[in-house]
Structure formats: structure tokens, C-alpha cells
mmCIF file of all heavy atoms in Angstrom:
data_model
loop_
_atom_site.group_PDB
_atom_site.id
_atom_site.type_symbol
_atom_site.label_atom_id
_atom_site.label_comp_id
_atom_site.label_asym_id
_atom_site.label_seq_id
_atom_site.Cartn_x
_atom_site.Cartn_y
_atom_site.Cartn_z
ATOM 1 N N ILE C 1 122.498 166.876 -3.297
ATOM 2 C CA ILE C 1 121.786 165.905 -2.464
ATOM 3 C C ILE C 1 122.649 164.601 -2.367
ATOM 4 O O ILE C 1 122.850 164.042 -1.328
ATOM 5 C CB ILE C 1 120.392 165.572 -3.123
ATOM 6 C CG1 ILE C 1 119.462 166.749 -2.799
ATOM 7 C CG2 ILE C 1 119.787 164.342 -2.371
ATOM 8 C CD1 ILE C 1 118.153 166.665 -3.540
ATOM 9 N N TYR C 2 123.126 164.150 -3.567
ATOM 10 C CA TYR C 2 123.714 162.817 -3.579
ATOM 11 C C TYR C 2 125.263 162.905 -3.426
ATOM 12 O O TYR C 2 125.886 162.006 -2.892
ATOM 13 C CB TYR C 2 123.364 162.022 -4.873
ATOM 14 C CG TYR C 2 121.882 161.784 -4.909
ATOM 15 C CD1 TYR C 2 121.052 162.355 -5.795
ATOM 16 C CD2 TYR C 2 121.318 160.876 -4.024
ATOM 17 C CE1 TYR C 2 119.704 162.084 -5.934
ATOM 18 C CE2 TYR C 2 119.955 160.618 -3.973
ATOM 19 C CZ TYR C 2 119.122 161.172 -4.918
ATOM 20 O OH TYR C 2 117.817 160.967 -4.937
ATOM 21 N N GLY C 3 125.864 163.976 -3.962
ATOM 22 C CA GLY C 3 127.353 164.114 -3.938
ATOM 23 C C GLY C 3 127.896 164.686 -2.650
ATOM 24 O O GLY C 3 128.787 164.282 -2.060
ATOM 25 N N LEU C 4 127.284 165.788 -2.286
ATOM 26 C CA LEU C 4 127.651 166.533 -1.128
ATOM 27 C C LEU C 4 126.915 166.184 0.166
ATOM 28 O O LEU C 4 127.156 166.584 1.302
ATOM 29 C CB LEU C 4 127.540 168.043 -1.343
ATOM 30 C CG LEU C 4 128.282 168.645 -2.464
ATOM 31 C CD1 LEU C 4 127.957 170.128 -2.608
ATOM 32 C CD2 LEU C 4 129.777 168.448 -2.284
ATOM 33 N N ASN C 5 125.802 165.429 -0.031
ATOM 34 C CA ASN C 5 124.976 164.948 1.128
ATOM 35 C C ASN C 5 124.375 166.196 1.826
ATOM 36 O O ASN C 5 124.226 166.159 3.031
ATOM 37 C CB ASN C 5 125.610 164.016 2.065
ATOM 38 C CG ASN C 5 124.744 163.163 2.823
ATOM 39 O OD1 ASN C 5 123.583 163.027 2.449
ATOM 40 N ND2 ASN C 5 125.142 162.622 3.960
ATOM 41 N N ASN C 6 124.086 167.261 1.042
ATOM 42 C CA ASN C 6 123.501 168.436 1.559
ATOM 43 C C ASN C 6 122.072 168.619 1.047
ATOM 44 O O ASN C 6 121.837 169.152 -0.077
ATOM 45 C CB ASN C 6 124.367 169.683 1.221
ATOM 46 C CG ASN C 6 123.869 170.963 1.923
ATOM 47 O OD1 ASN C 6 122.776 171.030 2.413
ATOM 48 N ND2 ASN C 6 124.733 171.874 1.920
ATOM 49 N N HIS C 7 121.097 167.975 1.758
ATOM 50 C CA HIS C 7 119.702 167.932 1.247
ATOM 51 C C HIS C 7 119.033 169.302 1.236
ATOM 52 O O HIS C 7 118.255 169.569 0.290
ATOM 53 C CB HIS C 7 118.873 167.004 2.136
ATOM 54 C CG HIS C 7 119.333 165.557 2.021
ATOM 55 N ND1 HIS C 7 119.040 164.760 0.944
ATOM 56 C CD2 HIS C 7 120.188 164.844 2.791
ATOM 57 C CE1 HIS C 7 119.574 163.606 1.126
ATOM 58 N NE2 HIS C 7 120.319 163.614 2.177
ATOM 59 N N TYR C 8 119.376 170.164 2.105
ATOM 60 C CA TYR C 8 118.806 171.565 2.107
ATOM 61 C C TYR C 8 119.167 172.309 0.832
ATOM 62 O O TYR C 8 118.304 172.927 0.145
ATOM 63 C CB TYR C 8 119.224 172.327 3.356
ATOM 64 C CG TYR C 8 118.657 171.732 4.631
ATOM 65 C CD1 TYR C 8 119.436 171.269 5.588
ATOM 66 C CD2 TYR C 8 117.297 171.717 4.877
ATOM 67 C CE1 TYR C 8 118.962 170.670 6.732
ATOM 68 C CE2 TYR C 8 116.702 171.232 6.063
ATOM 69 C CZ TYR C 8 117.588 170.655 6.918
ATOM 70 O OH TYR C 8 117.129 170.124 8.081
ATOM 71 N N LEU C 9 120.462 172.370 0.553
ATOM 72 C CA LEU C 9 120.904 173.027 -0.670
ATOM 73 C C LEU C 9 120.417 172.457 -1.945
ATOM 74 O O LEU C 9 119.941 173.133 -2.872
ATOM 75 C CB LEU C 9 122.455 173.060 -0.671
ATOM 76 C CG LEU C 9 123.148 173.780 -1.939
ATOM 77 C CD1 LEU C 9 122.732 175.245 -1.915
ATOM 78 C CD2 LEU C 9 124.602 173.594 -1.868
ATOM 79 N N GLY C 10 120.333 171.069 -1.959
ATOM 80 C CA GLY C 10 119.829 170.429 -3.133
ATOM 81 C C GLY C 10 118.385 170.598 -3.420
ATOM 82 O O GLY C 10 117.912 170.909 -4.512
ATOM 83 N N ASN C 11 117.594 170.618 -2.335
ATOM 84 C CA ASN C 11 116.184 170.808 -2.463
ATOM 85 C C ASN C 11 115.905 172.291 -2.839
ATOM 86 O O ASN C 11 114.958 172.617 -3.642
ATOM 87 C CB ASN C 11 115.421 170.497 -1.155
ATOM 88 C CG ASN C 11 115.320 168.992 -0.917
ATOM 89 O OD1 ASN C 11 115.404 168.224 -1.890
ATOM 90 N ND2 ASN C 11 115.217 168.682 0.325
ATOM 91 N N PHE C 12 116.717 173.202 -2.297
ATOM 92 C CA PHE C 12 116.483 174.613 -2.682
ATOM 93 C C PHE C 12 116.843 174.826 -4.169
ATOM 94 O O PHE C 12 116.074 175.570 -4.762
ATOM 95 C CB PHE C 12 117.514 175.482 -1.832
ATOM 96 C CG PHE C 12 117.544 176.914 -2.134
ATOM 97 C CD1 PHE C 12 116.485 177.735 -1.733
ATOM 98 C CD2 PHE C 12 118.528 177.483 -2.754
ATOM 99 C CE1 PHE C 12 116.410 179.004 -2.001
ATOM 100 C CE2 PHE C 12 118.514 178.892 -3.097
ATOM 101 C CZ PHE C 12 117.389 179.638 -2.706
ATOM 102 N N MET C 13 117.834 174.224 -4.680
ATOM 103 C CA MET C 13 118.193 174.359 -6.072
ATOM 104 C C MET C 13 117.002 173.838 -6.963
ATOM 105 O O MET C 13 116.704 174.391 -7.905
ATOM 106 C CB MET C 13 119.454 173.652 -6.430
ATOM 107 C CG MET C 13 120.672 174.202 -5.763
ATOM 108 S SD MET C 13 121.250 175.637 -6.688
ATOM 109 C CE MET C 13 122.853 175.714 -6.035
ATOM 110 N N ILE C 14 116.532 172.656 -6.634
ATOM 111 C CA ILE C 14 115.419 172.021 -7.370
ATOM 112 C C ILE C 14 114.190 172.886 -7.312
ATOM 113 O O ILE C 14 113.437 173.068 -8.246
ATOM 114 C CB ILE C 14 115.231 170.623 -6.958
ATOM 115 C CG1 ILE C 14 116.415 169.749 -7.318
ATOM 116 C CG2 ILE C 14 113.946 169.983 -7.504
ATOM 117 C CD1 ILE C 14 116.437 168.346 -6.858
ATOM 118 N N LEU C 15 113.892 173.425 -6.122
ATOM 119 C CA LEU C 15 112.774 174.270 -5.973
ATOM 120 C C LEU C 15 112.917 175.597 -6.787
ATOM 121 O O LEU C 15 111.887 176.129 -7.326
ATOM 122 C CB LEU C 15 112.436 174.592 -4.508
ATOM 123 C CG LEU C 15 111.791 173.438 -3.707
ATOM 124 C CD1 LEU C 15 111.707 173.858 -2.217
ATOM 125 C CD2 LEU C 15 110.422 173.198 -4.243
ATOM 126 N N LEU C 16 114.123 176.076 -6.896
ATOM 127 C CA LEU C 16 114.389 177.295 -7.749
ATOM 128 C C LEU C 16 114.028 176.914 -9.234
ATOM 129 O O LEU C 16 113.429 177.703 -9.923
ATOM 130 C CB LEU C 16 115.786 177.687 -7.682
ATOM 131 C CG LEU C 16 116.130 178.602 -6.441
ATOM 132 C CD1 LEU C 16 117.641 178.944 -6.507
ATOM 133 C CD2 LEU C 16 115.366 179.823 -6.415
ATOM 134 N N ALA C 17 114.370 175.722 -9.704
ATOM 135 C CA ALA C 17 114.098 175.297 -10.998
ATOM 136 C C ALA C 17 112.567 175.159 -11.187
ATOM 137 O O ALA C 17 112.013 175.615 -12.233
ATOM 138 C CB ALA C 17 114.775 173.934 -11.355
ATOM 139 N N VAL C 18 111.863 174.657 -10.269
ATOM 140 C CA VAL C 18 110.386 174.531 -10.242
ATOM 141 C C VAL C 18 109.782 175.987 -10.362
ATOM 142 O O VAL C 18 108.872 176.241 -11.097
ATOM 143 C CB VAL C 18 109.832 173.787 -9.120
ATOM 144 C CG1 VAL C 18 108.362 173.903 -9.020
ATOM 145 C CG2 VAL C 18 110.229 172.316 -9.223
ATOM 146 N N LEU C 19 110.279 176.917 -9.575
ATOM 147 C CA LEU C 19 109.819 178.276 -9.506
ATOM 148 C C LEU C 19 110.048 178.951 -10.899
ATOM 149 O O LEU C 19 109.218 179.711 -11.408
ATOM 150 C CB LEU C 19 110.535 179.036 -8.378
ATOM 151 C CG LEU C 19 110.052 180.489 -8.230
ATOM 152 C CD1 LEU C 19 108.547 180.475 -7.802
ATOM 153 C CD2 LEU C 19 110.825 181.153 -7.118
ATOM 154 N N GLU C 20 111.172 178.669 -11.512
ATOM 155 C CA GLU C 20 111.428 179.209 -12.869
ATOM 156 C C GLU C 20 110.493 178.724 -13.856
ATOM 157 O O GLU C 20 109.998 179.411 -14.806
ATOM 158 C CB GLU C 20 112.855 178.924 -13.291
ATOM 159 C CG GLU C 20 113.326 179.451 -14.603
ATOM 160 C CD GLU C 20 113.281 180.940 -14.680
ATOM 161 O OE1 GLU C 20 113.521 181.636 -13.728
ATOM 162 O OE2 GLU C 20 113.000 181.499 -15.745
ATOM 163 N N CYS C 21 110.116 177.465 -13.812
ATOM 164 C CA CYS C 21 109.055 176.823 -14.681
ATOM 165 C C CYS C 21 107.719 177.543 -14.458
ATOM 166 O O CYS C 21 107.078 177.830 -15.434
ATOM 167 C CB CYS C 21 108.941 175.326 -14.405
ATOM 168 S SG CYS C 21 110.362 174.409 -14.968
ATOM 169 N N ILE C 22 107.366 177.739 -13.220
ATOM 170 C CA ILE C 22 106.119 178.442 -12.870
ATOM 171 C C ILE C 22 106.128 179.868 -13.440
ATOM 172 O O ILE C 22 105.111 180.350 -14.008
ATOM 173 C CB ILE C 22 105.798 178.384 -11.377
ATOM 174 C CG1 ILE C 22 105.532 176.921 -10.934
ATOM 175 C CG2 ILE C 22 104.655 179.236 -11.007
ATOM 176 C CD1 ILE C 22 105.530 176.718 -9.453
ATOM 177 N N ALA C 23 107.185 180.547 -13.279
ATOM 178 C CA ALA C 23 107.347 181.885 -13.739
ATOM 179 C C ALA C 23 107.144 181.948 -15.250
ATOM 180 O O ALA C 23 106.515 182.888 -15.780
ATOM 181 C CB ALA C 23 108.622 182.517 -13.278
ATOM 182 N N TYR C 24 107.796 180.989 -15.962
ATOM 183 C CA TYR C 24 107.662 181.032 -17.461
ATOM 184 C C TYR C 24 106.212 180.721 -17.865
ATOM 185 O O TYR C 24 105.673 181.339 -18.794
ATOM 186 C CB TYR C 24 108.648 179.990 -18.031
ATOM 187 C CG TYR C 24 108.517 179.926 -19.484
ATOM 188 C CD1 TYR C 24 109.089 180.862 -20.312
ATOM 189 C CD2 TYR C 24 107.763 178.888 -20.133
ATOM 190 C CE1 TYR C 24 108.974 180.810 -21.691
ATOM 191 C CE2 TYR C 24 107.613 178.833 -21.499
ATOM 192 C CZ TYR C 24 108.250 179.785 -22.252
ATOM 193 O OH TYR C 24 108.208 179.777 -23.672
ATOM 194 N N TYR C 25 105.541 179.783 -17.161
ATOM 195 C CA TYR C 25 104.237 179.458 -17.481
ATOM 196 C C TYR C 25 103.182 180.553 -17.305
ATOM 197 O O TYR C 25 102.308 180.807 -18.133
ATOM 198 C CB TYR C 25 103.763 178.199 -16.617
ATOM 199 C CG TYR C 25 102.372 177.695 -17.045
ATOM 200 C CD1 TYR C 25 102.161 176.952 -18.162
ATOM 201 C CD2 TYR C 25 101.315 177.943 -16.214
ATOM 202 C CE1 TYR C 25 100.918 176.452 -18.498
ATOM 203 C CE2 TYR C 25 99.976 177.566 -16.569
ATOM 204 C CZ TYR C 25 99.841 176.818 -17.681
ATOM 205 O OH TYR C 25 98.555 176.370 -17.954
ATOM 206 N N PHE C 26 103.432 181.321 -16.198
ATOM 207 C CA PHE C 26 102.470 182.408 -15.850
ATOM 208 C C PHE C 26 103.007 183.759 -16.363
ATOM 209 O O PHE C 26 102.564 184.866 -15.775
ATOM 210 C CB PHE C 26 102.236 182.442 -14.378
ATOM 211 C CG PHE C 26 101.324 181.321 -13.970
ATOM 212 C CD1 PHE C 26 101.814 180.274 -13.246
ATOM 213 C CD2 PHE C 26 99.983 181.254 -14.321
ATOM 214 C CE1 PHE C 26 101.045 179.241 -12.854
ATOM 215 C CE2 PHE C 26 99.185 180.232 -13.949
ATOM 216 C CZ PHE C 26 99.760 179.214 -13.182
ATOM 217 N N LYS C 27 103.984 183.912 -17.230
ATOM 218 C CA LYS C 27 104.634 185.217 -17.519
ATOM 219 C C LYS C 27 103.675 186.224 -18.131
ATOM 220 O O LYS C 27 103.656 187.357 -17.863
ATOM 221 C CB LYS C 27 105.858 184.987 -18.442
ATOM 222 C CG LYS C 27 105.554 184.637 -19.746
ATOM 223 C CD LYS C 27 106.790 184.455 -20.580
ATOM 224 C CE LYS C 27 106.509 183.825 -21.903
ATOM 225 N NZ LYS C 27 107.656 183.569 -22.672
ATOM 226 N N GLU C 28 102.665 185.699 -18.950
ATOM 227 C CA GLU C 28 101.766 186.650 -19.548
ATOM 228 C C GLU C 28 100.766 187.245 -18.549
ATOM 229 O O GLU C 28 100.636 188.447 -18.461
ATOM 230 C CB GLU C 28 100.950 185.964 -20.645
ATOM 231 C CG GLU C 28 99.883 186.776 -21.260
ATOM 232 C CD GLU C 28 99.005 186.189 -22.269
ATOM 233 O OE1 GLU C 28 99.396 185.048 -22.779
ATOM 234 O OE2 GLU C 28 97.976 186.769 -22.611
ATOM 235 N N ALA C 29 100.287 186.377 -17.700
ATOM 236 C CA ALA C 29 99.325 186.835 -16.659
ATOM 237 C C ALA C 29 100.017 187.807 -15.760
ATOM 238 O O ALA C 29 99.486 188.831 -15.317
ATOM 239 C CB ALA C 29 98.754 185.730 -15.862
ATOM 240 N N TRP C 30 101.223 187.473 -15.341
ATOM 241 C CA TRP C 30 101.998 188.385 -14.441
ATOM 242 C C TRP C 30 102.322 189.730 -15.133
ATOM 243 O O TRP C 30 102.192 190.832 -14.527
ATOM 244 C CB TRP C 30 103.279 187.678 -14.042
ATOM 245 C CG TRP C 30 104.166 188.414 -13.064
ATOM 246 C CD1 TRP C 30 105.477 188.764 -13.301
ATOM 247 C CD2 TRP C 30 103.778 189.161 -11.944
ATOM 248 N NE1 TRP C 30 105.959 189.477 -12.227
ATOM 249 C CE2 TRP C 30 104.981 189.709 -11.362
ATOM 250 C CE3 TRP C 30 102.578 189.247 -11.169
ATOM 251 C CZ2 TRP C 30 104.994 190.491 -10.153
ATOM 252 C CZ3 TRP C 30 102.696 189.965 -9.986
ATOM 253 C CH2 TRP C 30 103.758 190.581 -9.544
ATOM 254 N N TRP C 31 102.733 189.675 -16.436
ATOM 255 C CA TRP C 31 103.064 190.915 -17.098
ATOM 256 C C TRP C 31 101.775 191.857 -17.260
ATOM 257 O O TRP C 31 101.836 193.011 -17.014
ATOM 258 C CB TRP C 31 103.650 190.613 -18.518
ATOM 259 C CG TRP C 31 104.093 191.892 -19.212
ATOM 260 C CD1 TRP C 31 105.260 192.439 -19.171
ATOM 261 C CD2 TRP C 31 103.354 192.542 -20.173
ATOM 262 N NE1 TRP C 31 105.303 193.576 -19.939
ATOM 263 C CE2 TRP C 31 104.135 193.686 -20.611
ATOM 264 C CE3 TRP C 31 102.009 192.491 -20.690
ATOM 265 C CZ2 TRP C 31 103.676 194.595 -21.531
ATOM 266 C CZ3 TRP C 31 101.553 193.425 -21.616
ATOM 267 C CH2 TRP C 31 102.421 194.436 -21.970
ATOM 268 N N VAL C 32 100.692 191.181 -17.653
ATOM 269 C CA VAL C 32 99.427 191.927 -17.721
ATOM 270 C C VAL C 32 99.042 192.595 -16.399
ATOM 271 O O VAL C 32 98.679 193.700 -16.352
ATOM 272 C CB VAL C 32 98.344 191.031 -18.335
ATOM 273 C CG1 VAL C 32 96.945 191.713 -18.247
ATOM 274 C CG2 VAL C 32 98.594 190.630 -19.731
ATOM 275 N N GLN C 33 99.101 191.844 -15.353
ATOM 276 C CA GLN C 33 98.736 192.353 -14.053
ATOM 277 C C GLN C 33 99.611 193.495 -13.661
ATOM 278 O O GLN C 33 99.169 194.496 -13.093
ATOM 279 C CB GLN C 33 98.775 191.206 -12.966
ATOM 280 C CG GLN C 33 98.090 191.613 -11.708
ATOM 281 C CD GLN C 33 96.677 191.987 -11.953
ATOM 282 O OE1 GLN C 33 95.895 191.325 -12.592
ATOM 283 N NE2 GLN C 33 96.198 193.127 -11.367
ATOM 284 N N ARG C 34 100.996 193.410 -13.912
ATOM 285 C CA ARG C 34 101.855 194.512 -13.516
ATOM 286 C C ARG C 34 101.487 195.741 -14.321
ATOM 287 O O ARG C 34 101.596 196.834 -13.797
ATOM 288 C CB ARG C 34 103.319 194.085 -13.814
ATOM 289 C CG ARG C 34 103.861 193.178 -12.760
ATOM 290 C CD ARG C 34 105.434 192.968 -12.909
ATOM 291 N NE ARG C 34 105.964 193.219 -14.205
ATOM 292 C CZ ARG C 34 106.395 192.305 -15.076
ATOM 293 N NH1 ARG C 34 106.306 191.009 -14.666
ATOM 294 N NH2 ARG C 34 106.962 192.516 -16.206
ATOM 295 N N GLN C 35 101.090 195.589 -15.587
ATOM 296 C CA GLN C 35 100.743 196.778 -16.405
ATOM 297 C C GLN C 35 99.439 197.391 -15.909
ATOM 298 O O GLN C 35 99.351 198.604 -15.856
ATOM 299 C CB GLN C 35 100.538 196.445 -17.850
ATOM 300 C CG GLN C 35 101.793 195.709 -18.503
ATOM 301 C CD GLN C 35 103.068 196.525 -18.313
ATOM 302 O OE1 GLN C 35 103.124 197.654 -18.484
ATOM 303 N NE2 GLN C 35 104.112 195.799 -17.814
ATOM 304 N N LEU C 36 98.489 196.580 -15.467
ATOM 305 C CA LEU C 36 97.275 197.102 -14.851
ATOM 306 C C LEU C 36 97.574 197.799 -13.558
ATOM 307 O O LEU C 36 96.832 198.760 -13.240
ATOM 308 C CB LEU C 36 96.209 195.968 -14.701
ATOM 309 C CG LEU C 36 95.624 195.425 -15.915
ATOM 310 C CD1 LEU C 36 94.827 194.208 -15.730
ATOM 311 C CD2 LEU C 36 94.831 196.440 -16.736
ATOM 312 N N TRP C 37 98.460 197.326 -12.786
ATOM 313 C CA TRP C 37 98.752 197.965 -11.524
ATOM 314 C C TRP C 37 99.596 199.277 -11.663
ATOM 315 O O TRP C 37 99.731 200.100 -10.817
ATOM 316 C CB TRP C 37 99.584 197.079 -10.595
ATOM 317 C CG TRP C 37 98.768 195.959 -9.998
ATOM 318 C CD1 TRP C 37 97.440 195.970 -9.849
ATOM 319 C CD2 TRP C 37 99.272 194.766 -9.491
ATOM 320 N NE1 TRP C 37 97.070 194.770 -9.241
ATOM 321 C CE2 TRP C 37 98.178 194.027 -8.960
ATOM 322 C CE3 TRP C 37 100.527 194.159 -9.390
ATOM 323 C CZ2 TRP C 37 98.378 192.704 -8.414
ATOM 324 C CZ3 TRP C 37 100.635 192.917 -8.773
ATOM 325 C CH2 TRP C 37 99.550 192.257 -8.270
ATOM 326 N N SER C 38 100.184 199.459 -12.914
ATOM 327 C CA SER C 38 101.051 200.637 -13.140
ATOM 328 C C SER C 38 100.145 201.858 -13.192
ATOM 329 O O SER C 38 98.892 201.793 -13.216
ATOM 330 C CB SER C 38 101.763 200.434 -14.412
ATOM 331 O OG SER C 38 100.916 200.694 -15.557
ATOM 332 N N ARG C 39 100.776 203.001 -13.156
ATOM 333 C CA ARG C 39 100.093 204.252 -13.220
ATOM 334 C C ARG C 39 99.233 204.474 -14.424
ATOM 335 O O ARG C 39 98.203 205.035 -14.471
ATOM 336 C CB ARG C 39 101.090 205.464 -13.085
ATOM 337 C CG ARG C 39 100.427 206.753 -12.753
ATOM 338 C CD ARG C 39 101.500 207.761 -12.603
ATOM 339 N NE ARG C 39 102.069 208.209 -13.868
ATOM 340 C CZ ARG C 39 102.038 209.493 -14.265
ATOM 341 N NH1 ARG C 39 101.667 210.401 -13.509
ATOM 342 N NH2 ARG C 39 102.488 209.776 -15.465
ATOM 343 N N ALA C 40 99.714 203.853 -15.508
ATOM 344 C CA ALA C 40 98.998 203.977 -16.867
ATOM 345 C C ALA C 40 97.837 203.132 -16.958
ATOM 346 O O ALA C 40 96.948 203.269 -17.810
ATOM 347 C CB ALA C 40 99.977 203.680 -18.016
ATOM 348 N N GLY C 41 97.761 202.048 -16.179
ATOM 349 C CA GLY C 41 96.691 201.032 -16.332
ATOM 350 C C GLY C 41 95.255 201.637 -16.197
ATOM 351 O O GLY C 41 94.976 202.410 -15.332
ATOM 352 N N GLY C 42 94.476 201.312 -17.151
ATOM 353 C CA GLY C 42 93.053 201.808 -17.128
ATOM 354 C C GLY C 42 92.917 203.136 -17.821
ATOM 355 O O GLY C 42 91.693 203.645 -17.798
#
């Protein structure tokens, strides 16, 4: 954003960091749901 003056790339990188934080926060719920959707679930 500030060095290359490329706001699209900069915002994309920061959004990837935010997405990684969200994935870490919801990893248990996501893992449990994937197991329930699997053939063995239930």
C-alpha cells in the first residue's frame, strides 16, 4: 500500500491475514462440521 502504491495487492494481503485469524478462531467448529459431513458421521 505505502511502498509500491498498490492498494489492491496490499488490501488483498491484509484480508488474507484476517481470513487466517478467522480460520484459527473457528477451527474447532469447522473440523467438527467436516467430520459430521463425512461418510462416518452419525
Side-chain angles (χ1 to χ4, degrees):
I1 291 171
Y2 297 111
L4 300 176
N5 203 19
N6 188 342
H7 296 279
Y8 294 113
L9 180 62
N11 288 335
F12 179 72
M13 295 280 199
I14 292 172
L15 284 174
L16 279 179
V18 170
L19 184 63
E20 182 62 34
C21 291
I22 292 170
Y24 179 76
Y25 183 77
F26 289 108
K27 70 181 175 185
E28 178 182 344
W30 178 234
W31 185 85
V32 169
Q33 193 59 47
R34 283 193 333 257
Q35 302 312 309
L36 289 172
W37 286 339
S38 74
R39 192 176 81 122

